């Protein structure tokens, strides 16, 4: 394993004092994840190459990564529940623990057969969320596997679908918005029943005659700083050890920004497929939008 590269002083202010190393891990679900609930509704298949979650009237199911991370690029291929999936929610997210937790969410809200899935995204920083953006997809996510990615570095968080950026949440600490840079997070996924809110605000209920509902996962990959609290002493990622700027080839995700082409793709997706943006919901924020919604903090 390779040590985290030395950071410049500015970047190093973002890193915790936990021990860490850079990890590049291609998926083996047996090695990288623990099934955390749902008993045999979660199944690891093909010697760890694939995993399925299922939901029935008694329970859903879920798993979490064995490792904790502080910054990284995380990819997973997911095939969503087919048919009438109304009331079901499949999730893929990063989260820390505790009341003031950080979280980066992909949630896929099922729907009636023939209607599109809604991709629900959210970002929590120090326990504060309410930063929802929602999208339709430009393909049927139940027919085949598609790649859903989260880039999380000191500069911003970017949500990707098949390598196309759909959302960017920038580090806006300069204007008083807490950023996700102090709490290591695990990767989680789950399939559960949310018929009270998921489909048209709860108007469409889960049809349990269609159960079990099954979502499939494969090809998890992480390029990230893996955290460990077992090591004592200063972290190789800590500011006190910074003496040189790291090479962009050592950890390209750590400095990755959206280039001009990516910004154009982001704007195109948001114009055509975004169906809800908290930063334009005047009814929700009659006294003014959150500070990260300002043009200065969101301008691409």
């Amino acid at each position: 394993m390779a040590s985290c590269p030395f950071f410049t002083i500015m970047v190093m202010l973002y890193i915790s004092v936990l021990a860490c190393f850079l990890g590049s891990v291609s998926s083996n679900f047996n090695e990288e994840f623990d099934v955390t609930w749902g008993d045999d509704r979660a199944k690891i298949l093909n010697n760890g190459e694939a995993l399925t979650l299922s939901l029935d009237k008694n329970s859903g199911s879920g798993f979490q990564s064995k490792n904790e991370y502080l910054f990284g690029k995380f990819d997973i291929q997911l095939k969503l529940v087919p048919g009438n999936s109304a009331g079901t929610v499949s999730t893929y997210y990063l989260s820390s623990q505790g009341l003031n937790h950080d979280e980066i969410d992909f949630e896929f809200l099922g729907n009636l057969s023939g209607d599109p899935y809604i991709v629900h995204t959210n970002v929590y920083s120090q326990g504060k969320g309410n930063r929802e953006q929602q999208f339709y997809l430009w393909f049927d996510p139940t027919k085949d596997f598609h790649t859903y990615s989260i880039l999380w570095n000191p500069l911003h968080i970017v949500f990707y679908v098949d390598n196309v950026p759909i959302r960017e949440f920038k580090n806006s600490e300069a204007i008083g918005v807490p950023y996700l840079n102090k709490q290591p997070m695990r990767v989680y996924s789950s399939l559960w029943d949310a018929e009270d809110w998921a489909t048209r605000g709860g108007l469409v209920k889960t049809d349990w005659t269609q159960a079990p509902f099954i979502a499939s996962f494969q090809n998890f990959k992480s390029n990230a700083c893996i955290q460990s609290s077992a090591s004592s002493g200063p972290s190789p990622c800590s500011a006190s050890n910074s003496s040189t700027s790291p090479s962009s080839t050592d950890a390209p995700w750590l400095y990755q920004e959206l280039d001009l082409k990516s910004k154009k793709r982001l704007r195109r997706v948001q114009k055509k497929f975004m169906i809800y943006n908290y930063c334009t919901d005047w009814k929700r924020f009659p006294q003014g939008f959150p500070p990260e919604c300002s043009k200065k903090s969101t301008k691409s």
Side-chain angles (χ1 to χ4, degrees):
M1 69 183 178
S3 296
C4 286
F6 295 141
F7 291 81
T8 62
I9 294 295
M10 181 176 293
V11 174
M12 292 311 303
L13 293 175
Y14 294 111
I15 308 300
S16 76
V17 295
L18 299 175
C20 73
F21 63 89
L22 288 175
S24 179
V25 181
S26 294
S27 65
N28 184 297
F29 286 96
N30 280 316
E31 295 176 1
E32 299 303 321
F33 292 94
D34 293 316
V35 172
T36 49
W37 62 288
D39 300 322
D40 59 357
R41 293 174 183 83
K43 300 182 184 297
I44 298 177
L45 308 171
N46 302 332
N47 296 316
E49 293 183 359
L51 186 150
T52 59
L53 296 179
S54 67
L55 164 69
D56 57 36
K57 199 166 186 177
N58 294 316
S59 179
S61 49
F63 62 88
Q64 71 178 40
S65 63
K66 297 178 186 292
N67 292 318
E68 290 185 303
Y69 308 92
L70 187 61
F71 302 134
K73 175 78 183 306
F74 307 90
D75 310 293
I76 201 164
Q77 291 189 324
L78 171 58
K79 183 162 64 174
L80 297 174
V81 174
N84 181 2
S85 57
T88 71
V89 174
S90 304
T91 69
Y92 169 56
Y93 63 103
L94 299 169
S95 183
S96 61
Q97 299 297 310
L99 183 63
N100 295 318
H101 75 293
D102 293 340
E103 190 170 321
I104 306 169
D105 291 338
F106 265 118
E107 295 186 325
F108 304 91
L109 313 186
N111 219 326
L112 294 170
S113 299
D115 289 344
Y117 263 82
I118 292 176
V119 181
H120 177 99
T121 66
N122 204 352
V123 176
Y124 287 77
S125 57
Q126 297 184 19
K128 182 183 182 300
N130 299 321
R131 299 184 175 103
E132 301 91 346
Q133 290 183 358
Q134 295 182 339
F135 306 82
Y136 287 141
L137 293 170
W138 49 94
F139 53 82
D140 184 343
T142 72
K143 296 297 186 183
D144 204 351
F145 286 93
H146 292 268
T147 303
Y148 303 91
S149 307
I150 296 170
L151 170 65
W152 168 39
N153 67 25
L155 304 174
H156 59 177
I157 294 159
V158 184
F159 296 78
Y160 294 87
V161 176
D162 287 338
N163 295 315
V164 176
I166 66 169
R167 178 179 184 178
E168 180 185 26
F169 181 82
K170 294 185 178 181
N171 183 337
S172 298
E173 285 188 317
I175 58 173
V177 181
Y179 189 64
L180 295 73
N181 53 22
K182 298 176 179 65
Q183 301 186 68
M185 298 193 282
R186 296 184 190 273
V187 177
Y188 294 86
S189 193
S190 61
L191 174 59
W192 53 288
D193 175 38
E195 67 173 5
D196 57 331
W197 68 271
T199 307
R200 298 178 188 172
L203 294 177
V204 182
K205 302 302 181 182
T206 305
D207 180 2
W208 293 110
T209 66
Q210 304 294 313
F213 302 98
I214 297 175
S216 302
F217 302 79
Q218 66 180 24
N219 291 336
F220 172 75
K221 184 178 180 181
S222 66
N223 289 278
C225 190
I226 300 173
Q227 299 290 313
S228 172
S229 59
S231 177
S232 60
S235 164
C237 293
S238 66
S240 61
N241 288 329
S242 175
S243 59
T244 61
S245 298
S247 167
S248 61
T249 59
D250 294 331
W253 51 265
L254 188 62
Y255 302 96
Q256 184 176 335
E257 297 187 76
L258 295 179
D259 59 20
L260 183 59
K261 181 179 179 180
S262 295
K263 290 178 180 179
K264 289 181 177 179
R265 297 177 83 184
L266 174 66
R267 288 194 292 266
R268 187 162 55 245
V269 166
Q270 293 191 341
K271 182 178 180 180
K272 189 171 183 179
F273 297 105
M274 180 184 284
I275 59 173
Y276 178 79
N277 181 4
Y278 77 109
C279 283
T280 61
D281 191 343
W282 286 102
K283 292 183 179 179
R284 187 173 177 186
F285 301 103
Q287 304 304 316
F289 293 122
E292 70 269 18
C293 296
S294 68
K295 290 183 179 180
K296 183 176 180 181
S297 64
T298 59
K299 184 178 180 181
S300 296

